Each structure stands twice: as structure tokens, then as C-alpha cells.
């Protein structure tokens, strides 16, 4: 099942995406809420009701009203929190090698994550950035999960049962802001807090059964063979696979939930796949050729991410009409 959040006029709704069309779940079953937040709070009971409707639509047993005029939103427009992981060893090792530093041994000892701005979640469409964001503006090709039920002190062996679904994530990054602030040994903040994009829909785990594969040796949890790619203005710039995650989402959940609640609507990203950002690609290019022509996102760029089984997430980068700069405020 592909769950979507969408807007007609000024009202947000919850639907399912079937055969290229969106159908409102509440109009099919009045016991289903008309927004994603309340739906996820209903846990497995509401999920099963929605799957029944989805199946009836696919079998053409019912003909609910099709939504014609709508704006597709992030599948979870108002997440309870947003964390981002660091699960792909290839990306971490390559980025460190490009900076001429050794691979950090702790990567293989435990999964890590940071909190980002859950109020800056966006979906498909235009993404507006400030002037300072364009100082080395970057994409990050990722997959994210959404938590479907409350839990605490969850083991990796049981953690996959807390996942409501999977979606594509683009963790937009303003690298100049990010690198300046990280010199002070805190995690990324202003370099990341302006936009995290997810979508186009939330795919329930049952739809990914055919893609299941074996996790990396010594790891626990579901793993999926999902090809990942990103193009900018129609030119492919990144290719990877979700199966290359060293730390599984189950293991990341285990760490997130240690001594803390995870809640329905929490979004957790995988971290960047290998080759999944310009920072890494530019560093690799410059290491081979000092004259390498580096690339960063600019206003007007069309960024499209595609993940097998999860769809295509498309955005246009736009620039806010302002000259205000926090980089210029440095003492």
C-alpha cells in the first residue's frame, strides 16, 4: 500500500495511491481519519482497515471518489520528530578518505544519528532556499522509515515491527554553513535545518517483500535490494543500493529507543548512500584530478530521486528574494 498526504484548497487529507490515482481513505471508510498523524496513532488496527480498502480498490470491488485537483505533500507532513542516521560505510569511508583522514573505527561499533528540524519537512515540488544555502548547496540521496507505534527500549530483533513504512529522503545540505558550525564539534544545525524532503508516498513493508535480502554479516534486521539513483536536470549523478546499508533500520531504532520513546510519526533517515551527494562526488573527483569541475545545486535545478519500490521524488530548487546573510554576520 502506498499512503499519501495531499491537499485540496487549504485542507490536508490522507489517501492511497492506486493505479496512478489518489483515493481518499476517509470517504471509503469513515472509521479512518483524514490525516496521516491520527492514522499512525491508530497503529495496526487502522493500518489493516486501510489495507482492506486498498485491496478492494485494486480489485475494483469498490469505486471511491477519485481526487482530481490536489497538491501532493510529504507523506508525513508534520512528523513528531526527524532523525538522520549514518548507515552506509561506503559514503563515510569515501568522504573521510577525500579529506585525507582515516576511517573512524567507531563506525563499525554502533549506529549513530542526529536530530534535524522536523518542522522543515517538505514533499514533492518547489523548495525555496535562502542565499547562504546556495553556498555549496547539496542533495543527499537516502531512504527513510516512519515509525508506526510507540515504543521504548526496543531490541533490534523486534524493531522492524515498529516500522509503518518506507519513503525516499533528500536531506538538503548547505555545506558552507554546515562545515563552519561543525568546527565547534557539535552536529549539523543551520546547514541542515531549512529543508528535509520526503516522498512521494509511504510504502508499507508488505510491498517490499520481493526485495528482501540478507543484511550485512553480523547485523540484525530486514534489508532490501532497492536500487537508488539521483539525477540533476536529467543527468544521473548518483547510483547506489539500499542493500549497501551496513547498519539496518532495526539496529538504528534500537539505539534511538534506548531510554527514550519513539512515537508514531517519527521519521528516521538512513544517511547518505555511497556516491549520494556532491560533497562526496566532488571530493573523489578532486582527489583524482585537481582541475575537476565541481558541482553544487543552484536555483532552477530539477532534482529527481528514484528508489526501486518507493517511486520517484522530484523537486525544483528556487531562491528566496532576499539579500539577508548570516554568513555576513560573523565577527
Amino acid at each position: 500500500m502506498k499512503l499519501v498526504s495531499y491537499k485540496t484548497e487549504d485542507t490536508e487529507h490522507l489517501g492511497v495511491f492506486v493505479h496512478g490515482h489518489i483515493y481518499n481513505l476517509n470517504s471509503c471508510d469513515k472509521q479512518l481519519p483524514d490525516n496521516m498523524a491520527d492514522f499512525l496513532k491508530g497503529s495496526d488496527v487502522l493500518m489493516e482497515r486501510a489495507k482492506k480498502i486498498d485491496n478492494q480498490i485494486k480489485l475494483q470491488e469498490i469505486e471511491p471518489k477519485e481526487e482530481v485537483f490536489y497538491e501532493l505533500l510529504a507523506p508525513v507532513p508534520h512528523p513528531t520528530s526527524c532523525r538522520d542516521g549514518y548507515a552506509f560505510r561506503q559514503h563515510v569511508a569515501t568522504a573521510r578518505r577525500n579529506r585525507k583522514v582515516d576511517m573512524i573505527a567507531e563506525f563499525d561499533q554502533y549506529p549513530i544519528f542526529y536530530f534535524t528540524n522536523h518542522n522543515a519537512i517538505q514533499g514533492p515540488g518547489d523548495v525555496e532556499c535562502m542565499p547562504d544555502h546556495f553556498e555549496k548547496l547539496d542533495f543527499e540521496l537516502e531512504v527513510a522509515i516512519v515509525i508506526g507505534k510507540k515504543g521504548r527500549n526496543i531490541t533490534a530483533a523486534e524493531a522492524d515491527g515498529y516500522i509503518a513504512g518506507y519513503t525516499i529522503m533528500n536531506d538538503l545540505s548547505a555545506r558552507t554553513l554546515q562545515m563552519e558550525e561543525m568546527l565547534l564539534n557539535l552536529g549539523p544545525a543551520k546547514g541542515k535545518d531549512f529543508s528535509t524532503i520526503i516522498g512521494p508516498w509511504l510504502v508499507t513493508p508488505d510491498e517490499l517483500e520481493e526485495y528482501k535480502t540478507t543484511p550485512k554479516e553480523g547485523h540484525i534486521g530486514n534489508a532490501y535490494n532497492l536500487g537508488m539513483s539521483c539525477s540533476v536536470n536529467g543527468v544521473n549523478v548518483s547510483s547506489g543500493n539500499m542493500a549497501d546499508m551496513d547498519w539496518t533500520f532495526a539496529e538504528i531504532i534500537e539505539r534511538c529507543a534506548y531510554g527514550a520513546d519513539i512515537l508514531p510519526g517519527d521519521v528516521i533517515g538512513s544517511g547518505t548512500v555511497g556516491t549520494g551527494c556532491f560533497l562526496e562526488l566532488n571530493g573523489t573527483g578532486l582527489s583524482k584530478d585537481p582541475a575537476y569541475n565541481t558541482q553544487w545545486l543552484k536555483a532552477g535545478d530539477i532534482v529527481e530521486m528514484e528508489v526501486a519500490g518507493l517511486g520517484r521524488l522530484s523537486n525544483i530548487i528556487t531562491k528566496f528574494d532576499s539579500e539577508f546573510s548570516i554568513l555576513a554576520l560573523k565577527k
Side-chain angles (χ1 to χ4, degrees):
M1 180 169 61
K2 294 180 177 69
L3 293 161
V4 296
S5 293
Y6 65 99
K7 184 164 66 174
T8 58
E9 296 181 349
D10 293 324
T11 306
E12 295 182 5
H13 303 282
L14 174 67
V16 288
F17 185 82
V18 183
H19 301 318
H21 302 287
I22 290 176
Y23 300 95
N24 183 273
L25 281 172
N26 178 257
S27 69
C28 302
D29 182 345
K30 293 304 180 184
Q31 295 191 51
L32 291 171
D34 199 20
N35 65 83
M36 182 66 82
D38 289 341
F39 174 78
L40 291 173
K41 290 175 185 175
S43 195
D44 295 338
V45 175
L46 295 186
M47 186 67 76
E48 289 307 311
R49 295 188 74 93
K51 286 181 179 178
K52 181 180 178 181
I53 295 298
D54 183 70
N55 190 53
Q56 289 176 322
I57 295 171
K58 290 173 179 174
L59 294 175
Q60 298 181 332
E61 293 178 358
I62 59 174
E63 296 183 4
K65 178 183 177 182
E66 176 189 334
E67 297 290 357
V68 180
F69 301 105
Y70 63 87
E71 176 189 351
L72 194 60
L73 306 173
V76 185
H78 313 288
T80 41
S81 71
C82 187
R83 301 170 175 89
D84 202 9
Y86 211 37
F88 290 93
R89 195 181 201 281
Q90 178 187 344
H91 167 68
V92 179
T94 303
R96 292 185 67 83
R97 183 172 65 249
N98 290 343
R99 299 200 306 270
K100 296 181 171 54
V101 294
D102 293 334
M103 179 59 182
I104 188 165
E106 285 77 7
F107 177 88
D108 298 308
Q109 297 173 7
Y110 46 85
I112 64 169
F113 66 91
Y114 68 91
F115 281 95
T116 190
N117 185 3
H118 64 289
N119 292 316
I121 290 289
Q122 294 182 255
D126 291 357
V127 177
E128 191 175 71
C129 300
M130 289 292 288
D132 286 349
H133 296 146
F134 286 97
E135 296 297 323
K136 300 183 178 179
L137 179 63
D138 206 352
F139 71 93
E140 289 192 5
L141 173 60
E142 309 187 22
V143 171
I145 58 168
V146 175
I147 297 299
K149 57 185 178 181
K150 183 177 179 179
R152 188 183 183 98
N153 295 328
I154 302 161
T155 66
E158 60 183 337
D160 282 309
Y162 287 78
I163 298 174
Y166 297 79
T167 190
I168 303 170
M169 175 185 276
N170 181 0
D171 178 29
L172 281 182
S173 303
R175 297 301 189 187
T176 295
L177 285 170
Q178 178 189 352
M179 296 310 171
E180 285 200 347
E181 65 191 353
M182 291 186 72
L183 291 173
L184 296 171
N185 293 322
L186 288 178
K190 291 311 299 175
K192 298 277 191 175
D193 71 349
F194 58 101
S195 177
T196 300
I197 308 161
I198 59 173
W201 34 70
L202 185 67
V203 179
T204 52
D206 55 291
E207 281 215 7
L208 301 180
E209 283 293 314
E210 64 181 287
Y211 298 99
K212 267 191 175 178
T213 188
T214 305
K216 296 289 184 71
E217 184 178 355
H219 292 272
I220 300 170
N222 290 339
Y224 299 94
N225 178 23
L226 304 181
M228 305 170 64
S229 65
C230 179
S231 68
V232 178
N233 299 326
V235 179
N236 186 75
V237 294
S238 173
S239 298
N241 196 298
M242 186 177 168
D244 292 331
M245 287 179 69
D246 292 85
W247 294 103
T248 66
F249 276 118
E251 292 167 324
I252 296 171
I253 291 172
E254 181 180 62
R255 189 168 181 89
C256 291
Y258 180 76
D261 291 339
I262 58 169
L263 300 172
D266 284 357
V267 173
I268 305 174
S270 63
T272 312
V273 70
T275 78
C277 65
F278 281 137
L279 181 69
E280 179 186 338
L281 294 168
N282 288 338
T284 299
L286 289 170
S287 69
K288 297 176 180 178
D289 178 8
Y292 178 82
N293 186 24
T294 60
Q295 183 175 355
W296 302 102
L297 296 178
K298 59 186 183 300
D301 281 350
I302 301 172
V303 182
E304 292 186 302
M305 294 185 168
E306 191 163 2
V307 178
L310 301 185
R312 176 179 292 180
L313 176 61
S314 182
N315 297 97
I316 299 175
I317 305 299
T318 67
K319 185 175 182 179
F320 183 66
D321 186 14
S322 171
E323 298 303 321
F324 178 48
S325 168
I326 59 170
L327 287 171
L329 298 179
K330 288 188 299 181
K331 302 299 183 190

